Amino acid sequence: MSEAGFNDDFLEKELFGGDDDGLDSASMDVDDMMLTGQSMATVDTELASATEDADAATTGNGNSAPEDDSRARLERSRELLTAKLDIAMDDPPGELTVLHHPPRALVGLVDGAQRCSAFEVVPTISLVNPWQIYSVTATPNMRWLFTGGEDGYIKKWDFNSTVNGKQLLTLGQRHSLVDTISKGGVTASYWDHTDVVEGGVEMLSPVYSMAVHSQALWLVSGMKSGHIGLWSVRHDEGRRISLLCKHKKPVSVLRISPDEYGLVSGSWDRAVLYWDLNTGRLARGFAGHTSQISSIEFQPSWFSEHNKASQGSEPVSGEASGGEAGKEFDFQTKGPVLMTTSIDGQCLLWDVRAPKALPHPLDTPKKTPPWATSACWSRDGKKIYVGRRNNSIDEYEFGAGSLPVRTLRLPQNSGPVTALAAMANGRHLVCASTDNVRVWDLEQPVERRSTVPFQVIPGHHGGTISSVFIDESSRFMLTPSGNRGWEGTSNGHHLGYELTPVA
């Protein structure tokens, strides 16, 4: 049995596909999959053209590497198109809200955070919770913090009181923690995370994912059944307003769109869905993954640039300006880009404006296990970091092909990299593995052996970190412990850190 209580055979089938739904990536028959005819025809045309160009180049000068790369990319894109999205779309569909509403204004960074050479990271807080925490979210001003996990409850924490030390840890609670941790989490309230199952019976469900509105008006949560709960927070707290019922298996990732009128969800059923929260309808489905969805992130640079240009007054360009069906991903796009990863190591980039355009796959390097539970953008949106099972992090450059530009390797026996987060100065990356939490200096050359390119942050050791959460102002960081329903064990420590820029 796994740590989360699943049968090992069941877990293996869930992670890497099974015979019951015909989507096993090892035995996929592309001729039997549902496909958009126009997209397939366009890809076939592009493949034929790439083949002719490669043949011509080989005949002319014997060098066909660029054409071969182009053909290989198109072949991979064709395989992505064959993935079946076994979910009924709404008719009429919802609105892709991010294309019609400006993004909300972001909280300003703490002084010096963007230009500092380093951060002083000091653990000071412990959220006392005997259960694994699968998900954590907070309001941008860090007034309220929310956690959820395997116990089936959503807990609301008063973060201001926590940071100010209104509740100190007892000597017994501090015994297994580092000396700097003395503040205990102040619980404001909690409520049952109930789901409606067959027959209308309400049952507690583990909280696999969460996201909260910037003003804490409402909160969304992912359930084991595949339902997404919409909860009232500020008024009539804990009341379930609605259930969004399209996914068929646990909802592992939830991301509110930057305009806060939409929601992107990812599930163990391998589907990524965009919801219009004004109507509760599906606006778009992203079909391409062959395993459970592990992370979803919008490219941050586009929204920050748009926010500065429009000052929140203009909508973004509409869907009509998106790419053509079956065309390759356009790295020159001025529209919103979505990054999604699945636990089998896939990482795909999507142009949100173009519903029929191909995603761009970021390839897993050779000799690297096909596995990824976490990925993140750099703060400027120019690079992507993907955590791997073999204690390494692959760094990709946006617009520089499909292979990583370099690989950051942690010490041997560090364990899988389960959580990542980029820091505000663009120079440091927080990476959590089984043994420790580290802050990696990205300006240090990987090949250089004379210096250690990372700093170990005390607090965690020997447990799986479910996520690394850094608030928008870069003043605080949270590292809850939990396996999100996958493999790994929890050390029972859910820690908070205070970040101080160092000039």
Side-chain angles (χ1 to χ4, degrees):
M1 296 288 289
S2 69
E3 182 69 19
F6 295 112
N7 180 276
D8 290 335
D9 294 336
F10 168 78
L11 185 60
E12 182 178 358
K13 183 175 70 174
E14 288 295 306
L15 293 178
F16 303 108
D19 296 331
D20 56 338
D21 55 11
L23 281 177
D24 189 353
S25 59
S27 60
M28 191 182 298
D29 185 358
V30 296
D31 294 329
D32 295 335
M33 297 298 176
M34 185 173 66
L35 188 62
T36 304
Q38 182 182 2
S39 300
M40 195 76 259
T42 307
V43 173
D44 287 338
T45 302
E46 294 289 338
L47 278 172
S49 175
T51 303
E52 292 175 0
D53 292 343
D55 293 341
T58 302
T59 302
N61 54 21
N63 182 12
S64 61
E67 291 77 7
D68 288 343
D69 290 344
S70 176
R71 181 182 181 184
R73 284 197 303 272
L74 286 166
E75 286 176 341
R76 289 196 301 272
S77 297
R78 174 173 180 163
E79 292 175 359
L80 293 175
L81 273 178
T82 63
K84 180 181 179 181
L85 188 64
D86 191 20
I87 291 177
M89 301 299 292
D90 290 324
D91 188 19
E95 180 182 69
L96 278 169
T97 61
V98 73
L99 304 181
H100 304 283
H101 301 279
R104 67 171 178 84
L106 301 178
V107 173
L109 292 171
V110 66
D111 290 342
Q114 197 167 9
R115 298 175 300 276
C116 66
S117 61
F119 281 91
E120 182 181 4
V121 184
V122 180
T124 59
I125 300 168
S126 176
L127 304 178
V128 180
N129 187 359
W131 301 90
Q132 296 190 51
I133 292 180
Y134 291 166
S135 180
V136 61
T137 186
T139 54
N141 62 3
M142 292 301 289
R143 178 66 180 90
W144 303 110
L145 173 70
F146 301 86
T147 62
E150 64 177 351
D151 59 345
Y153 293 93
I154 295 177
K155 295 185 179 180
K156 178 182 177 182
W157 307 79
D158 185 340
F159 197 73
N160 282 355
S161 297
T162 298
V163 172
N164 291 328
K166 294 295 181 66
Q167 180 171 312
L168 299 179
L169 298 173
T170 65
L171 186 62
Q173 290 170 332
R174 295 184 60 182
H175 177 70
S176 60
L177 302 173
V178 296
D179 293 341
T180 56
I181 301 177
S182 60
K183 303 172 185 177
V186 178
T187 305
S189 61
Y190 68 94
W191 64 87
D192 297 352
H193 187 241
T194 55
D195 188 14
V196 179
V197 296
E198 293 183 6
V201 179
E202 293 199 355
M203 295 182 61
L204 285 180
S205 169
V207 186
Y208 283 90
S209 54
M210 281 193 308
V212 68
H213 182 261
S214 61
Q215 300 299 320
L217 296 179
W218 45 263
L219 176 145
V220 287
S221 64
M223 301 178 175
K224 184 176 181 179
S225 65
H227 296 164
I228 299 172
L230 178 62
W231 307 87
S232 177
V233 177
R234 179 175 292 186
H235 309 289
D236 195 8
E237 182 179 278
R239 179 174 65 88
R240 191 178 61 230
I241 301 171
S242 179
L243 281 177
L244 306 178
C245 307
K246 288 292 185 179
H247 288 295
K248 300 179 180 179
K249 294 179 181 178
V251 180
S252 49
V253 191
L254 289 172
R255 288 288 180 269
I256 297 174
S257 61
D259 63 300
E260 297 200 305
Y261 290 96
L263 173 71
V264 184
S265 62
S267 168
W268 287 18
D269 61 10
R270 311 166 196 178
V272 178
L273 304 178
Y274 191 110
W275 301 82
D276 179 358
L277 292 180
N278 287 324
T279 62
R281 291 179 170 272
L282 283 183
R284 180 181 174 185
F286 301 84
H289 284 286
T290 56
S291 188
Q292 300 172 356
I293 307 302
S294 57
S295 65
I296 297 173
E297 294 284 349
F298 282 94
Q299 186 180 24
S301 57
W302 183 86
F303 293 102
S304 59
E305 291 172 2
H306 178 79
N307 223 334
K308 292 177 182 177
S310 65
Q311 296 182 351
S313 61
E314 297 290 337
V316 303
S317 56
E319 184 177 331
S321 59
E324 299 179 22
K327 291 292 185 182
E328 286 191 89
F329 185 90
D330 181 11
F331 285 101
Q332 302 302 319
T333 178
K334 299 300 182 182
V337 175
L338 188 69
M339 175 189 65
T340 60
T341 65
S342 53
I343 200 170
D344 63 353
Q346 274 187 306
C347 184
L348 304 179
L349 303 180
W350 308 82
D351 185 344
V352 177
R353 301 172 306 160
K356 295 181 180 179
L358 299 173
H360 177 76
L362 300 179
D363 295 340
T364 304
K366 294 180 179 180
K367 299 182 180 181
T368 297
W371 186 91
T373 60
S374 180
C376 71
W377 293 91
S378 61
R379 282 298 180 106
D380 60 6
K382 296 180 180 180
K383 294 183 179 179
I384 298 166
Y385 300 93
V386 182
R388 301 297 185 185
R389 189 185 187 94
N390 60 340
N391 47 267
S392 66
I393 304 164
D394 288 330
E395 179 184 293
Y396 299 84
E397 192 167 328
F398 185 71
S402 297
L403 291 174
V405 294
R406 66 172 174 170
T407 298
L408 313 178
R409 297 200 179 278
L410 278 64
Q412 291 293 335
N413 303 321
S414 296
V417 179
T418 57
L420 295 170
M423 304 195 81
N425 61 356
R427 176 174 175 171
H428 292 89
L429 179 72
V430 182
C431 52
S433 54
T434 304
D435 63 340
N436 280 305
V437 176
R438 294 175 172 83
V439 176
W440 196 291
D441 187 348
L442 298 173
E443 293 190 1
Q444 289 283 351
V446 176
E447 301 81 8
R448 192 173 175 182
R449 301 292 183 180
S450 58
T451 59
V452 179
F454 56 80
Q455 174 189 2
V456 176
I457 305 303
H460 280 288
H461 183 73
T464 300
I465 308 301
S466 59
S467 63
V468 174
F469 179 89
I470 300 178
D471 76 306
E472 289 185 6
S473 66
S474 290
R475 294 179 60 199
F476 305 103
M477 181 175 76
L478 300 166
T479 56
S481 179
N483 60 19
R484 299 174 62 192
W486 291 316
E487 63 179 349
T489 58
S490 169
N491 60 15
H493 296 159
H494 317 290
L495 305 183
Y497 307 78
E498 296 182 25
L499 309 180
T500 304
V502 177

